Amino acid sequence: MPSDACQTLLQSISDHTCTVGVIGLGYVGLPLIDAFINAGFSCLGFDVDPKKVSTLLEGKSYIKHIEDAKIGNWLAKDRFDATADMARLAEPDVLLICVPTPLDSARDPDLRYVEGTCQAIAKVLRAGQMVVLESTTYPTTTRDVMVPILEQNGLSAGSDFFVAYSPEREDPGNPDFSAAGIPKVVGAINEDSLACATALYESAVAGVVPVSSCEVAEAAKVLENIYRAVNIALVNELKVLFDEMQIDVWEVINAAKTKPFGFQAFYPGPGLGGHCIPIDPFYLSWLARKQGSNARFIELAGEVNRSMPGYVVSRTSEFLNEFRKPVRGSKICLLGMAYKKDVDDPRESPSFELMELLLEQGADLTYSDPHVPTLPPMRHYDLPELRSQSLTPEFLASQDAVLIATDHSAFDYDQIVEHAALVIDTRNATSAVTEHRDKIRKC
């Protein structure tokens, strides 16, 4: 039998009278808000960046696939507010934590944002609230890291307030999958917490998959990303091998994927980007080391994927040598700073590693990306201030090489190949180009 506090929260969810608080107004948080507002809930967004808050309150977006009109609609419905004041964390009935979970310099999990958020919540936590972590992390984080911090104010998790874990599932740039259209895995610390979290997400998303514990939900998310990381590492390693054998890895993959069973196509690239795949598998390898074990597949996949920017730069040097040009002093334009096609998200993009490596070798470097107009500051890279260049015929002709790192649809590959002296393609973006193919080098 659910407790009185649980029944009260379940009733407010059923009536759509509860307020949903979302902490972290980025690529995960804003789509979540959209899903809950569309389902009839009111949302209060929290972010430590006051610029983000003021931008949203002006009805403007800073994320490409969340349009200004959508923000304006939230405000017009009077169902959205945003704040940098963490004292207001007491107001929502539900708090969804969508903060970064990066790795530190030793590639160990860095939970300072999760811990800091939980400390802020604990100061104002009231009975009857529910706290759900969405940030990807290693199994046991919710129970062993979050709960002790939240209970510092004297309330008991599972009875006075409820705690669950439901990993974010976002595919930026893919119009077929919105936050509301992707099933959510939900695990919790006890039955009441699971009942409340399941009811909440069932009211706003396409489907809910309840599991027996937070640890199962945490592990499921890490598995999803390890699966992708390992398979991408496999095709990256095959790309290097097939290059030496003068076999086109893209043609091989296209042939293999005609098999209607037992094969799923993954594609090589210049490295891994985004928050999830380059980072999340290492949560589990770190946890394995803590358990006195090791995760050899994960570590090997990470090693292969991390080597790809260096491989691309090495091949770039070889291709320039065909034209009797060294990297030093050569004008090289990098196409695409976002980590993925047709998005404006630069997190963990391999383009930054490529840029740093090319600059170290003395390249005269520029970039072009219609979704990233100015080069954003990145924690791990010391790069000059640059602006995206327009790919005019004159500009392309002035470059010694154009390096395709991200295959945005906005790029006119026919024009690029026509006017550039050398095009180095890491994404098979020029596969449909029929003219001047002698200028193209696959990498």
Side-chain angles (χ1 to χ4, degrees), residues 420-442:
L422 170 64
V423 177
I424 302 166
D425 185 358
T426 71
R427 297 286 190 178
N428 203 33
T430 58
S431 59
V433 175
T434 57
E435 301 292 328
H436 311 288
R437 291 202 63 83
D438 59 309
K439 299 180 181 182
I440 300 171
R441 301 293 185 274
K442 294 283 189 70

Side-chain angles (χ1 to χ4, degrees), residues 4 12 78 82 91 124 131 202 214 255-256 281 303 305 309 338 344 351 362 374-375 384 409 433 435 438:
D4 290 345
S12 69
D78 197 25
E91 295 178 26
V124 295
V131 183
E202 280 181 340
C214 295
E303 181 182 330
N305 289 327
D344 60 348
S351 295
T374 58
L375 198 65
S409 300
V433 175
E435 301 292 328
D438 59 309

Side-chain angles (χ1 to χ4, degrees), residues 182-219:
I182 304 173
K184 292 279 286 177
V185 172
V186 178
I189 62 167
N190 68 346
E191 290 185 5
D192 280 1
S193 295
L194 182 62
C196 291
T198 300
L200 177 75
Y201 286 109
E202 280 181 340
S203 65
V205 303
V208 175
V209 183
V211 295
S212 61
S213 66
C214 295
E215 290 77 14
V216 170
E218 291 161 336

